[in-house]
Amino acid sequence: MLMRVVSLLPSATEIVASLGRGDWLVGRSSECDHPSWVRRLPVVSRARLEPGLGLDEIDRRVSEQIRGGEPLYELDVGLLEELRPDLVVTQDLCPVCAVSSERVLGALESCGFGSSRILALDPHTLEDVLDDIARVGEVLDCRDRAASLVARLRARIDAVMESHRPVRRPRVAVLEWVDPPYSAGHWIPEMVHLAGGEEVTGAVGEPSRAITWESLADARPDIIVVAPCGFRLADAEEQAARVLQRAELADTAAVRSGRVHAVDADAEFARPGPRLVDGVETLARIVRGS
């Protein structure tokens, strides 16, 4: 049973491809870029923010648009109709991450399509992400592949936990944004725990939130991980260098010891898909100082 799938969520695109259904994809969001070949697919949705904005300006524009009820993403309804998808995968977790299922429903109805063509993913924890892989496998008629993938991911997580049982967990602060600073949210505190650390600014399953540099210093982090949502490693490294220079953090163990680490957030932390387990393994190396 061949299906025509449009994915408006980078993590969903990765899940579909990981389940061997990449050839069913017919459209994507502008941010879907992994595996690299998906960039050849037509772009059905794209962010409305112009490129080249600074971090503080991005934060301000996004906050203003959310408060004003303005959509952050443009949806090409004409292209959606032309592609005739059997399934559109999107999300309701975060208005900043992708088009909401409500907007997709309106677009599908305007095209004369039914709501049964929507699959909305809404993970808050790592367990939710694994459950979503199974859900996608169910819808795409590849349950066994999904179960096998989830089993392999669980085995890798177990291997991380078995290889290191810390007597004392270092205090870890993961920053999902640095201007202004935002704590880690949703599955990231859980990833830190699995890796052997204790996240001190965020809570498992809870959204990321704005914090102050002073409150970050008060959390006494031994390690700071800079994982800016929407950015790759090179940009994160530049931002981590700026974090090291913050006067408010000068007396923290993390800055005194130089344990401020940049990571590839888009690849391993921000997108709730299979590569989050890569992020757990990366965090384990950071926590252990290897």
Side-chain angles (χ1 to χ4, degrees), residues 5-10 13 25-46 74-75 79 83 89:
V5 179
V6 168
S7 172
L8 304 181
L9 193 62
T13 300
L25 289 165
V26 296
R28 65 178 177 102
S29 78
S30 60
E31 295 173 346
C32 295
D33 57 9
H34 184 82
S36 59
W37 55 262
V38 304
R39 298 175 187 177
R40 300 194 300 265
L41 297 172
V43 173
V44 181
S45 69
R46 66 179 69 250
E74 295 176 352
L75 185 62
L79 178 57
L83 292 174
V89 188

Side-chain angles (χ1 to χ4, degrees), residues 76-187:
D76 190 332
V77 179
L79 178 57
L80 189 65
E81 183 173 17
E82 181 182 326
L83 292 174
R84 297 176 289 103
D86 300 299
L87 180 70
V88 178
V89 188
T90 188
Q91 57 88 54
D92 286 322
L93 176 67
C94 172
V96 180
C97 296
V99 182
S100 70
S101 61
E102 182 179 1
R103 285 193 64 210
V104 174
L105 175 59
L108 290 175
E109 288 178 342
S110 72
C111 297
F113 301 146
S115 60
S116 61
R117 301 187 184 212
I118 299 176
L119 175 61
L121 305 181
D122 189 25
H124 289 74
T125 66
L126 188 55
E127 190 65 30
D128 291 341
V129 175
L130 298 178
D131 288 344
D132 277 347
I133 293 173
R135 287 179 62 206
V136 174
E138 181 80 21
V139 173
L140 298 186
D141 195 27
C142 52
R143 301 167 191 80
D144 291 345
R145 290 184 190 176
S148 177
L149 174 57
V150 169
R152 294 196 304 273
L153 294 173
R154 289 191 188 280
R156 288 170 58 192
I157 292 170
D158 290 343
V160 169
M161 297 175 66
E162 288 296 325
S163 65
H164 182 59
R165 297 180 180 274
V167 175
R168 173 189 174 274
R169 290 178 176 270
R171 298 172 64 81
V172 181
V174 181
L175 297 179
E176 292 194 24
W177 203 254
V178 300
D179 193 6
Y182 273 73
S183 68
H186 295 118
W187 46 83

Side-chain angles (χ1 to χ4, degrees), residues 172-243:
V172 181
V174 181
L175 297 179
E176 292 194 24
W177 203 254
V178 300
D179 193 6
Y182 273 73
S183 68
H186 295 118
W187 46 83
I188 292 180
E190 181 182 4
M191 292 168 63
V192 171
H193 183 82
L194 293 170
E198 175 192 358
E199 225 296 331
V200 293
T201 60
V204 175
E206 296 297 323
S208 175
R209 59 185 179 87
I211 59 175
T212 65
W213 294 113
E214 291 79 9
S215 66
L216 176 58
D218 289 343
R220 298 179 292 107
D222 299 306
I223 301 168
I224 296 174
V225 178
V226 180
C229 185
F231 288 89
R232 296 295 190 182
L233 181 57
D235 292 304
E237 288 174 339
E238 179 182 334
Q239 294 175 36
R242 289 157 55 188
V243 170

